[in-house]
Amino acid sequence: MAAAPRQFLQAQLEGFNQLPSGKKLGLMLGLAATIALLVGSWIWLRMPDYRVLYSNLTNRDGGAVLAALQQMNVPYKMAAGGTAILVPNSQVYEARLRLATQGLPRGGNVGFELLDKQKFGISQFQERVDYQRALEGELAQTIESLRSIQSARVHLAIPRPSVFVRNQDKPSASVLLNLYPGRVLDSGQISGIVHLVASGIPDLSFKRVTVVDQNGDLLSQPGNVARAGLEPSQLAYMRQVEQAYIQRIESILAPITGPHNVHAQVSAAIDFSRVEQTAETFKPNPTPTDSAIRSEQTSETTGGGGKAAGGLPGALSNQPPGAASAPITAPTVVGGGQSGSASAPVSKESTINYELDKTIKHIQLPPGSIKRLSVAVVVNDKMVVGKDGKSAHQPFTVDELKKISGLVKEAMGYNAARGDTLNVVNTAFHVSVPEPPLPFWKDPATLDLAREVVKNLFILGMVLFAVFAIIRPLLRAMAQAPRPAQREDEEEVHAAAIKTGGGGYEENVQLIKDFSRQEPSIVANVVKDWVGGSE
């Protein structure tokens, strides 16, 4: 059994040696091309599929990423003029995670690591510039950590302090945001960025921070700045109040319109100022019967029973009495020097103090009172079943809309005095048709699988082509190569046939032509024999 392959190889080698030089050369070229095709196909099959690791890299970030990839022994390619780096598809996510642990890429922003390489003898101006650059880079890197932001640039205008200037200029800041496609920032996120920058710079007010996106739109508008003046807890309370009103309105209308057929939005103006009031009021003088007595004092004085000296003190009252007389009526002199009547004088005094009507009020209003509510409600058309049994949309009547508006007013606590507004609209909702799923042949996973299958089939086809179209015919040709003795016998037979001319003239001529085309060497030998015989 072991001798069979050896005999086969020996036979093939003998057959190869018996082939003409042209066939030998063609056989060698065919084998070389087949081997090259198989090797190239195998290399192409084993070649990894490269994907983008990072794009739009700066020169500094690109160099740092390449150095890190070389240390990690990760193959890479450059694309897009050196601004994009490609790595094998199976190593994309692993490489990103490992580079992220090293802080790469930095996005062109250099933080406080800029101060780690301070040169000896650097000027004070350069130190101040490096510190400002480092501060801008740190703020930009912090802002870039938000999910919706792809990159950020921060510019600070910090005035130089001076002891000779009484009115110092206040610092200001400008922020440029590059958002991911399809991403937007709400007012709360903009307020957070504004307060983040303002908190990182001494004496920087949030009103002096300007935020712009990549389209040049001003994000920190006056409305947003006013809203940004609220604390995070106040913003959360405002959203909580608005959401509570929305749920209240939708829950009361859901039994009428059906679920998912009503949408409400509430804008609440809330006063977060803390108010303290103290009032002291006095009413006009009330009547004694309506007033409370605070204090009352009464005094009464009564004189003695005998005659008492009376009159005004002085010379007249000290004169001796005159001659006695007998008048008919003797009047009584009070307070004089003459004697009075037998009755004693009486003196009464009364003092009444009433309480003053006074009211003192001390009112402390808690923050968070609602100043105004603006409510918008959209109601879908109602579903009505027709006579044919099919359902159709039908708008609400005017009376039904009035009832809905009344329910909403009761649910929101409508108060026209404080400026509340309500708008109820009935319209047919636009039902968005979901996009059909991708066909099977367009699914990315299917495309990847098909790509791999095509690669393998291509390699298999190349192998089969090389075996059946090139190698097998060549091996068959070598196996059928005539041996030397056989060739000599064939040459003698053909030569004898040509010499004898066994057929007619035309047949002999045609036989010679065909034979000369098929076996030129035998014809040459015959001609040599003819020439030698003639000699």
Side-chain angles (χ1 to χ4, degrees):
M1 297 297 293
R6 184 181 303 173
Q7 294 177 357
F8 175 77
L9 293 177
Q10 186 176 1
Q12 296 298 327
L13 182 60
E14 292 177 357
F16 178 77
N17 293 330
Q18 297 299 325
L19 291 175
S21 301
K23 290 186 177 181
K24 290 181 180 179
L25 180 60
L27 179 60
M28 289 187 293
L29 292 177
L31 289 176
T34 303
I35 295 173
L37 180 62
L38 294 177
V39 173
S41 302
W42 176 257
I43 294 175
W44 176 67
L45 180 63
R46 300 295 299 174
M47 184 179 299
D49 186 13
Y50 281 81
R51 297 292 178 88
V52 177
L53 178 66
Y54 293 111
S55 60
N56 298 326
L57 292 175
T58 60
N59 294 332
R60 180 178 302 175
D61 284 343
V65 171
L66 291 182
L69 292 177
Q70 291 176 358
Q71 293 179 358
M72 294 186 296
N73 295 325
V74 176
Y76 62 87
K77 289 183 179 180
M78 305 293 296
T83 60
I85 300 178
L86 289 76
V87 298
N89 185 22
S90 59
Q91 299 180 353
V92 171
Y93 300 105
E94 181 182 358
R96 286 179 181 175
L97 293 176
R98 296 178 65 180
L99 290 174
T101 58
Q102 304 179 18
L104 296 175
R106 297 184 177 89
N109 296 318
V110 182
F112 283 115
E113 63 270 13
L114 183 64
L115 304 179
D116 297 337
K117 300 180 181 179
Q118 292 292 326
K119 298 181 180 179
F120 180 76
I122 191 172
S123 63
Q124 185 178 4
F125 172 77
Q126 186 65 33
E127 288 182 352
R128 186 170 61 253
V129 171
D130 291 344
Y131 174 75
Q132 183 168 340
R133 287 182 57 197
L135 193 59
E136 292 174 350
E138 289 291 336
L139 290 174
Q141 292 178 12
T142 305
I143 296 174
E144 288 175 356
S145 61
L146 299 178
R147 295 181 180 178
S148 301
I149 298 176
Q150 183 176 7
S151 62
R153 292 291 301 271
V154 179
H155 302 279
L156 300 177
I158 303 177
R160 185 176 181 181
S162 176
V163 296
F164 301 101
V165 180
R166 177 175 299 178
N167 297 326
Q168 292 283 351
D169 293 334
K170 297 297 182 181
S172 59
S174 301
V175 181
L176 175 62
L177 302 179
N178 186 13
L179 304 179
Y180 284 105
R183 301 289 183 88
V184 293
L185 297 177
D186 56 13
S187 59
Q189 292 174 324
I190 298 173
S191 302
I193 295 174
V194 170
H195 279 77
L196 174 66
V197 176
S199 301
I201 308 299
D203 299 331
L204 177 59
S205 175
F206 67 88
K207 296 181 180 179
R208 298 180 64 86
V209 178
T210 304
V211 181
V212 183
D213 62 0
Q214 73 271 21
N215 298 323
D217 297 332
L218 181 62
L219 302 181
S220 57
Q221 297 178 357
N224 294 330
V225 172
R227 196 177 180 92
L230 301 178
E231 298 294 334
S233 59
Q234 295 175 349
L235 290 173
Y237 175 76
M238 182 183 298
R239 296 192 188 97
Q240 183 179 359
V241 171
E242 294 174 350
Q243 191 64 27
Y245 277 105
I246 291 174
Q247 294 179 355
R248 189 182 302 175
I249 294 171
E250 292 182 351
S251 62
I252 199 173
L253 295 181
I256 301 175
T257 61
H260 309 293
N261 287 325
V262 58
H263 295 285
Q265 289 294 328
V266 177
S267 177
I270 299 178
D271 186 10
F272 290 101
S273 60
R274 188 181 300 273
V275 180
E276 294 185 2
Q277 295 180 356
T278 302
E280 184 176 355
T281 58
F282 294 90
K283 291 183 179 180
N285 294 329
T287 59
T289 56
D290 297 335
S291 301
I293 297 176
R294 180 178 184 182
S295 63
E296 182 177 359
Q297 181 179 2
T298 302
S299 62
E300 183 177 352
T301 305
T302 305
K307 296 181 179 180
L312 297 175
L316 295 178
S317 61
N318 292 331
Q319 296 295 328
S325 61
I328 299 173
T329 302
T332 302
V333 179
V334 180
Q338 304 296 330
S339 58
S341 62
S343 61
V346 178
S347 176
K348 293 183 179 181
E349 294 181 359
S350 177
T351 302
I352 300 175
N353 295 324
Y354 294 95
E355 290 288 353
L356 298 177
D357 194 354
K358 175 182 177 182
T359 303
I360 299 177
K361 292 182 178 180
H362 182 75
I363 302 174
Q364 183 176 359
L365 299 177
S369 60
I370 298 176
K371 296 191 299 184
R372 186 178 62 259
L373 288 176
S374 300
V375 180
V377 181
V378 180
V379 181
N380 192 14
D381 292 342
K382 59 183 178 180
M383 298 295 296
V384 178
V385 179
K387 296 181 180 179
D388 55 354
K390 296 182 180 180
S391 59
H393 290 276
Q394 182 179 350
F396 285 91
T397 62
V398 178
D399 295 336
E400 290 175 341
L401 288 178
K402 288 182 179 180
K403 293 180 181 179
I404 292 175
S405 299
L407 290 176
V408 175
K409 287 183 178 180
E410 293 296 332
M412 63 177 285
Y414 182 82
N415 188 357
R418 67 182 180 187
D420 292 351
T421 58
L422 173 62
N423 188 10
V424 179
V425 176
N426 174 219
T427 183
F429 284 5
H430 175 69
V431 180
S432 58
V433 179
E435 295 183 359
L438 291 175
F440 177 75
W441 59 87
K442 292 184 179 180
D443 191 8
T446 305
L447 294 178
D448 294 338
L449 180 60
R451 191 180 297 110
E452 295 296 329
V453 172
V454 169
K455 282 185 177 181
N456 296 328
L457 291 178
F458 177 77
I459 297 298
L460 181 60
M462 292 295 102
V463 172
L464 295 177
F465 174 78
V467 170
F468 291 100
I470 300 177
I471 298 177
R472 185 178 178 181
L474 291 177
L475 293 177
R476 183 179 298 174
M478 289 189 298
Q480 295 177 356
R483 300 295 182 265
Q486 181 181 1
R487 293 179 60 87
E488 292 178 358
D489 296 339
E490 290 179 355
E491 290 178 359
E492 291 177 0
V493 172
H494 289 290
I498 295 174
K499 289 179 180 179
T500 58
Y505 176 77
E506 297 294 335
E507 295 180 1
N508 292 334
V509 172
Q510 185 64 32
L511 178 63
I512 293 173
K513 289 181 180 180
D514 296 337
F515 189 73
S516 62
R517 284 195 298 268
Q518 296 176 0
E519 299 293 341
S521 59
I522 297 177
V523 175
N525 293 331
V526 172
V527 172
K528 288 180 182 180
D529 292 340
W530 287 351
V531 174
S534 62
E535 293 179 356

